[in-house]
Amino acid sequence: MDFVQVETTAPRTLEIPQIVSASTPLSPTSRIPKDVIRTSLKASTTDSVLAAIYSLGTGGILLSNFLVELDASPVVFGMFCSIPMLVNLIQPLGAYLSERSTSRFQYSLRTHGIGRLLWLVLVISIVGVNLEVINTHQLVILTLLIVLFSNLLGGLGAASWLSWVAMIVPRQLRGRYFGIRNSAASLTNLICVPIAGLVVSHWDGGSIQGYGVVLLVGIVFGIVGLGCQYFQVDMNPRSQNTYYGKLPQTNEIQQEARDLLALSNGDITQRDSTPPIAPASSIWKNSNFLRFLLYFSFWALAVNLSSPFFNLYMLDTLDLDVSYVTIYNSLQAAATLLMLILWGKLADKIGNRPILICIGILVAATPLLWLGIGANHLDIWLWLPLLHILTGGTWAAIDLCNNNIQLAIAPTKNQSIYFATAAAVAGASGALGTTIGSFIVQFAQFGGLLGLFALSSLFRLTALIPLLFVKEPERA
């Protein structure tokens, strides 16, 4: 065949293929030519690489080091880490607005595009500090505002983007594709993070000025990455939801439609295992999705009790140079790169839930391994690198399978609303976890960082219990 079917169900009378271009919003009744799908997936992968460069300056170790250089307190540090999660509460509104747009691509430009351009204000502000126009305290507050509004705009567009990609990527190839896509981003981090760290730590004008240079370069790459989305086949959310609302509801007709429109590519055939579609109002009646929400929210809280503070522990408590920490992060990215494709193939074969449970236990135990880490040469040159390699390999599985199982259990109609609800609940829980963690760190009588790591490990194990009751749709 010359066409690969969009992953939707459709009545027999609408199965005639239609040739579409990447820049034209696609109706869900259309078939996407295989060459258009290939172009879309390549464009999305390129976007992930450029977005990884953009993320170097707007998050992660470089932003953490920037805050440490500005003498931000642990509470302020926790606020910076919690904002990207807390703003996920706006994702349901973003999903609502996106479903009333006529183009996923145009909606992405309006949200992510403006959000990325906002960081130019921080670049200008760093210049203002060097010229003594503003002081470092004002720069901390301004950075907080930029992080807030940039992530708010990103939250408005996140669910729409995920729904867009879910319609493009063939279901039985999702594990492998997202494994390759994330591997490309990890390879970018592997190469660029140490380079960026060296630029920041050895910049003649100081680390704050060096961070401004890295941030400016990242913004440019981020805008170019958004341009790559032009080459992805566009989708019209209004047509999708109107069309699905008119589908016959009998199981026989639905199954026949799925059979007629199943993906066929050489020796690969697939029967669509999408759960029955449902109106958005029934989201709270979907017991399987609610069980996933319970797991996802508890897991986000448990993880974010400690995760934002590992970098703080190395930069502040151990007083390591930022170049060392960027090397550790590169090792973590390398482990992620090597393991993502393996996890993707394994997830396609055995499912995502078994991997999440098994690897989740290992991830839950990881914070305990930080308890014996000190500033001696053995820990700096051996145990810290090994710990980051372990973290990269295990989190590659967690991130990939959490994404895939969410795509599998969410109905196709109003899909972005399901994604937005999951992100909002997990974001609020993660922000709560980070806030609690920051107060525990602030007060030494609660155990400080090491006590926080032990508490996080216990919470992570407990968070896996609801996952045992989540049902993943049968795989082809």
Side-chain angles (χ1 to χ4, degrees):
M1 294 180 65
D2 294 328
F3 300 89
V4 175
Q5 178 60 41
V6 180
E7 293 186 73
T8 64
T9 55
R12 184 192 298 265
T13 56
L14 295 175
E15 66 164 334
I16 300 175
Q18 300 176 14
I19 302 296
V20 297
S21 64
S23 59
T24 303
L26 182 71
S27 165
T29 63
S30 305
R31 283 186 168 184
I32 308 178
K34 284 197 286 188
D35 59 338
V36 175
I37 281 193
R38 292 191 189 99
T39 300
S40 298
L41 299 186
K42 289 178 181 178
S44 182
T45 303
T46 305
D47 177 30
S48 73
V49 170
L50 299 176
I53 300 175
Y54 161 77
S55 299
L56 290 180
T58 59
I61 180 59
L62 296 183
L63 181 58
S64 298
N65 182 72
F66 179 66
L67 297 176
V68 171
E69 292 291 333
L70 295 177
D71 294 323
S73 68
V75 173
V76 173
F77 190 88
M79 291 174 62
F80 276 101
C81 295
S82 64
I83 283 175
M85 295 173 285
L86 188 60
V87 296
N88 283 325
L89 289 171
I90 206 172
Q91 284 209 28
L93 174 61
Y96 175 85
L97 295 175
S98 71
E99 296 305 309
R100 278 149 184 77
S101 67
T102 57
S103 167
R104 295 287 189 197
F105 172 65
Q106 295 294 332
Y107 186 80
S108 179
L109 284 183
R110 290 193 295 269
T111 53
H112 293 292
I114 298 174
R116 293 183 181 185
L117 287 174
L118 276 178
W119 285 93
L120 287 172
V121 178
L122 183 56
V123 175
I124 298 172
S125 300
I126 291 174
V127 175
V129 168
N130 292 324
L131 297 176
E132 299 183 352
V133 176
I134 62 175
N135 57 44
T136 56
H137 177 68
Q138 292 171 328
L139 185 59
V140 169
I141 296 175
L142 184 60
T143 306
L144 177 64
L145 292 174
I146 293 172
V147 170
L148 174 62
F149 287 106
S150 175
N151 281 278
L152 278 173
L153 288 165
L156 288 174
S160 176
W161 177 87
L162 186 57
S163 181
W164 184 12
V165 176
M167 294 294 292
I168 295 174
V169 183
R171 178 175 294 274
Q172 85 279 21
L173 299 178
R174 281 176 181 167
R176 276 169 282 182
Y177 171 70
F178 284 112
I180 293 172
R181 187 182 190 275
N182 294 347
S183 293
S186 297
L187 178 60
T188 304
N189 285 326
L190 173 64
I191 297 172
C192 296
V193 167
I195 296 175
L198 290 173
V199 170
V200 171
S201 61
H202 293 87
W203 191 261
D204 291 337
S207 60
I208 293 179
Q209 190 179 112
Y211 170 76
V213 173
V214 172
L215 178 60
L216 179 61
V217 174
I219 294 170
V220 173
F221 278 98
I223 298 302
V224 175
L226 284 178
C228 293
Q229 295 182 5
Y230 173 81
F231 299 98
Q232 295 176 203
V233 58
D234 204 352
M235 296 287 170
N236 187 333
R238 286 188 179 182
S239 297
Q240 175 183 338
N241 293 328
T242 301
Y243 173 63
Y244 279 119
K246 297 179 180 179
L247 279 178
Q249 294 300 310
T250 62
N251 292 334
E252 294 80 9
I253 295 179
Q254 286 184 346
Q255 186 59 62
E256 181 184 11
R258 283 194 283 268
D259 289 341
L260 287 170
L261 298 175
L263 177 67
S264 297
N265 185 12
D267 58 343
I268 299 177
T269 59
Q270 178 202 19
R271 182 183 295 269
D272 193 348
S273 58
T274 303
I277 59 175
S281 60
S282 69
I283 188 171
W284 301 114
K285 298 178 182 179
N286 189 328
S287 59
N288 192 43
F289 184 75
L290 291 180
R291 287 191 292 268
F292 172 77
L293 277 185
L294 186 63
Y295 149 72
F296 206 38
S297 59
F298 281 177
W299 180 256
L301 186 148
V303 165
N304 287 285
L305 272 175
S306 59
S307 287
F309 301 100
F310 292 133
N311 286 334
L312 179 64
Y313 183 70
M314 291 185 289
L315 292 169
D316 190 21
T317 304
L318 300 182
D319 197 24
L320 298 179
D321 187 85
V322 67
S323 59
Y324 285 98
V325 183
T326 54
I327 291 174
Y328 299 151
N329 280 261
S330 295
L331 291 175
Q332 182 172 323
T336 302
L337 171 66
L338 293 175
M339 295 301 295
L340 267 173
I341 297 178
L342 172 64
W343 292 129
K345 292 181 179 179
L346 188 61
D348 286 336
K349 290 181 180 180
I350 69 173
N352 299 284
R353 194 173 70 102
I355 297 176
L356 286 173
I357 294 173
C358 295
I359 302 302
I361 295 174
L362 185 56
V363 170
T366 301
L368 297 177
L369 301 179
W370 284 82
L371 299 184
I373 297 294
N376 57 74
H377 289 290
L378 181 63
D379 289 343
I380 291 174
W381 295 107
L382 179 61
W383 295 121
L384 278 173
L386 289 178
L387 187 55
H388 280 81
I389 290 172
L390 173 65
T391 301
T394 52
W395 272 103
I398 297 296
D399 289 338
L400 179 67
C401 293
N402 270 335
N403 181 72
N404 286 347
I405 196 172
Q406 185 179 172
L407 293 177
I409 66 177
T412 305
K413 183 184 178 183
N414 293 312
Q415 200 173 51
S416 64
I417 296 178
Y418 281 78
F419 297 153
T421 302
V425 172
S429 300
L432 178 62
T434 301
T435 303
I436 295 173
S438 66
F439 280 104
I440 293 177
V441 174
Q442 186 78 3
F443 301 104
Q445 61 266 32
F446 293 113
L449 280 170
L450 297 183
L452 178 66
F453 295 163
L455 182 65
S456 175
S457 183
L458 177 63
F459 273 56
R460 291 183 188 194
L461 279 174
T462 306
L464 291 173
I465 296 176
L467 184 60
L468 299 173
F469 303 97
V470 175
K471 296 179 181 180
E472 186 176 2
E474 294 182 3
R475 310 186 65 80

